[in-house]
Amino acid sequence: MKLFSKLNRMNRKKQTAIFLIIIASAIGWKTSPYNREYSSPEAVLYACEKGLRYGPSEKIEYVRKNGNKAVAIGRVKGGLSIIPSERKWYGRWILAGGGIPGYVQVENNAEYDFGDNIIVGVCTYDEIKSVEVVLGVYDEKSDNGVKEVEKYKADVAQDGFFIIENIPERDTTDDSVFDIHVVGFEGFDENGNSVYSTSVYKTEVYWES
């Protein structure tokens, strides 16, 4: 009540200035990228692509919802668009806090997203029907400069997209989790023959079949 009494005693110009500041603050909060609301994780993805000035995705390759969390993956030229989102209690979706992968260049390679426990990638060679992805860390003591942590295999879809789910969840409070990367990638034809490989040093080898 004291606040309203003070406002009433102010002259018209001061009252107008205060209300304009309040309105501007409210608009700023509402239009912040982290507070805009959308109907679905896919809508969040398209909005983020527009804001980050790439895309839009040619198609949505994958959407996974887990409780009030979700991740949407779209296909863009040269790679993928990976956008996490979260659902408000009343059903609308917003951009999730924390890091945003956004545009990821993964043609003929893979990306490990430890936040969502997935490995994703795109193959542009039609011969590649399955892939093997090696996760590891840099290790000067090893012969090739890396230490293998895990290996995963996946089939490749007709459009070249592949995804490996259910990667073991890691403790992000342990800084060593950020040292784990894709250190090896190999593509195989329908007969299981290796036709493409790339290493941590980004060297590429492709064998014509």
Side-chain angles (χ1 to χ4, degrees):
M1 294 300 291
K2 289 182 179 180
L3 176 61
F4 288 110
S5 297
K6 288 181 179 180
L7 286 173
N8 288 331
R9 288 197 297 268
M10 288 181 181
N11 60 42
R12 181 65 64 181
K13 287 185 178 180
K14 287 185 177 180
Q15 287 180 345
T16 302
I18 290 173
F19 284 122
L20 286 175
I21 291 172
I22 293 172
I23 291 171
S25 299
I27 291 174
W29 180 87
K30 189 65 177 177
T31 57
S32 168
Y34 286 96
N35 291 301
R36 292 176 185 169
E37 300 175 355
Y38 302 92
S39 59
S40 66
E42 296 92 328
V44 175
L45 177 139
Y46 285 124
C48 285
E49 289 177 343
K50 185 176 180 180
L52 296 173
R53 298 183 179 181
Y54 73 89
S57 289
E58 302 164 8
K59 63 181 290 190
I60 301 294
E61 292 280 11
Y62 170 88
V63 177
R64 184 184 70 186
K65 296 179 181 178
N66 183 16
N68 67 333
K69 303 287 186 180
V71 58
I73 301 176
R75 183 72 168 268
V76 292
K77 185 177 181 181
L80 298 170
S81 175
I82 306 174
I83 302 295
S85 58
E86 58 185 53
R87 185 176 57 199
K88 306 289 279 186
W89 64 269
Y90 45 84
R92 300 286 287 177
W93 291 86
I94 62 172
L95 180 64
I100 304 170
Y103 171 71
V104 181
Q105 189 173 356
V106 286
E107 279 195 349
N108 301 315
N109 212 322
E111 175 76 7
Y112 169 47
D113 181 353
F114 63 82
D116 293 300
N117 305 314
I118 55 176
I119 296 174
V120 294
V122 175
C123 296
T124 59
Y125 297 125
D126 293 337
E127 292 89 343
I128 298 178
K129 304 301 180 183
S130 63
V131 297
E132 182 177 76
V133 181
V134 181
L135 296 182
V137 296
Y138 300 111
D139 184 4
E140 296 178 353
K141 296 180 180 180
S142 64
D143 293 336
N144 60 357
V146 295
K147 180 180 179 181
E148 181 181 309
V149 176
E150 296 157 350
K151 278 185 179 180
Y152 296 95
K153 293 184 178 181
D155 293 329
V156 177
Q158 191 170 1
D159 66 353
F161 175 74
F162 66 87
I163 183 166
I164 303 169
E165 302 181 83
N166 302 318
I167 305 299
E169 188 171 343
R170 305 189 190 282
D171 180 11
T172 54
T173 61
D174 181 358
D175 290 341
S176 64
V177 68
F178 299 101
D179 296 329
I180 301 175
H181 304 282
V182 173
V183 297
F185 173 85
E186 192 165 6
F188 302 89
D189 64 15
E190 59 184 2
N191 296 316
N193 300 313
S194 177
V195 295
Y196 180 91
S197 69
T198 180
S199 74
V200 69
Y201 303 107
K202 302 299 181 184
T203 54
E204 298 179 1
V205 182
Y206 178 65
W207 297 275
E208 293 287 350
S209 57

